[in-house]
Amino acid sequence: MSTPSEIGDVVPAPQAESWQGDVALGVAAWTGSAGGGPPAPPDPVALGPDADPESVARKILLDQLTGAARSRRELSDKLKAKFVPDDVATRLLDRFEEVGLINDEAFARAWIASRQPGKGLARRALAQELRRKGIDDEIAREALDEIDPDDELEAARVLVRRKLRSMQALDDTVRTRRLVAMLARKGYAPGLAFSVVRDELRDLHSDAP
């Protein structure tokens, strides 16, 4: 059984359900930089090739997590790029998950919350992004199921309205083609895209003087 000295005096991070995508507090607890804990250890990366691989890997992970959440796959890829041995990487990644510093479920929800309203992305596009981040399909599906269909529809309408402002000189045929193509790139199904574009063009004409 590991002792505190073997795992770097880990202070457990908040439970996964309260995790909001900002791991700064958890990292501070891990390094001892918050709450009057012991000072952070020297940077093992700066110690050269003879530095302990586990210390090097821990420093890499903490640097990656400072100020931003990462998926386990992203962190694993970073360790691999730094030639951290696989057994060391797996052991540390498992430990970071245990204390809540890595949480793919919370990461997926936070990613959707930041990308769906801001970029207007539909479920299909978000699913592709999460897959590229290394999020398991089942985890991604559960997070995507939390999206309100009405919110997705409204996001599509907002995208079309914004784009229409720069298309005043075009006829409806060209507008429709370009707007549907734009929604398709955002991950919207063709049927929904055509419906939204048709409704917005109708509203545009009805509001015209």
Side-chain angles (χ1 to χ4, degrees):
M1 181 175 180
S2 299
T3 65
S5 61
E6 292 173 324
I7 58 176
D9 293 329
V10 176
V11 178
Q15 294 299 313
E17 57 268 18
S18 63
W19 189 88
Q20 299 298 317
D22 183 352
V23 297
L25 292 178
V27 172
W30 185 291
T31 59
S33 60
D43 181 352
V45 177
L47 299 179
D50 294 331
D52 172 54
E54 185 162 330
S55 297
V56 171
R58 185 182 295 113
K59 177 63 167 58
I60 292 169
L61 291 176
L62 293 174
D63 284 347
Q64 288 293 302
L65 288 168
T66 299
R70 309 281 182 188
S71 70
R72 175 169 177 138
R73 226 278 295 285
E74 286 180 304
L75 294 169
S76 177
D77 289 346
K78 177 62 67 171
L79 294 178
K80 186 173 296 186
K82 297 293 185 179
F83 305 105
V84 173
D86 290 344
D87 59 330
V88 173
T90 299
R91 183 166 63 251
L92 277 179
L93 290 169
D94 287 345
R95 187 63 180 128
F96 272 53
E97 280 190 330
E98 289 174 9
V99 300
L101 291 176
I102 300 174
N103 186 322
D104 278 358
E105 291 88 350
F107 176 88
R109 291 195 297 271
W111 184 263
I112 291 170
S114 67
R115 301 284 288 171
Q116 199 266 334
K119 297 293 184 180
L121 299 182
R123 287 171 54 101
R124 184 171 60 182
L126 290 166
Q128 292 172 348
E129 289 192 345
L130 290 173
R131 190 172 294 116
R132 287 195 292 269
K133 293 287 182 180
I135 301 299
D136 179 80
D137 285 346
E138 184 175 350
I139 292 174
R141 191 177 305 112
E142 290 177 357
L144 290 166
D145 284 343
E146 297 178 9
I147 297 176
D148 188 329
D150 290 339
D151 290 342
E152 189 173 57
L153 178 61
E154 182 58 25
R157 294 188 184 282
V158 170
L159 287 171
V160 171
R161 290 169 194 161
R162 289 175 181 169
K163 191 67 174 176
L164 276 172
R165 296 170 189 166
S166 63
M167 304 175 74
Q168 296 180 4
L170 303 176
D171 61 41
D172 281 356
T173 300
V174 176
R175 286 172 171 173
T176 298
R177 183 175 68 250
R178 294 186 181 181
L179 290 169
V180 169
M182 180 265 293
L183 289 179
R185 290 193 297 271
K186 297 286 187 177
Y188 292 92
L192 185 145
F194 275 107
S195 176
V196 168
V197 172
R198 182 187 64 243
D199 290 347
E200 292 301 317
L201 285 173
R202 184 190 61 228
D203 291 347
L204 179 67
H205 292 312
S206 65
D207 292 340

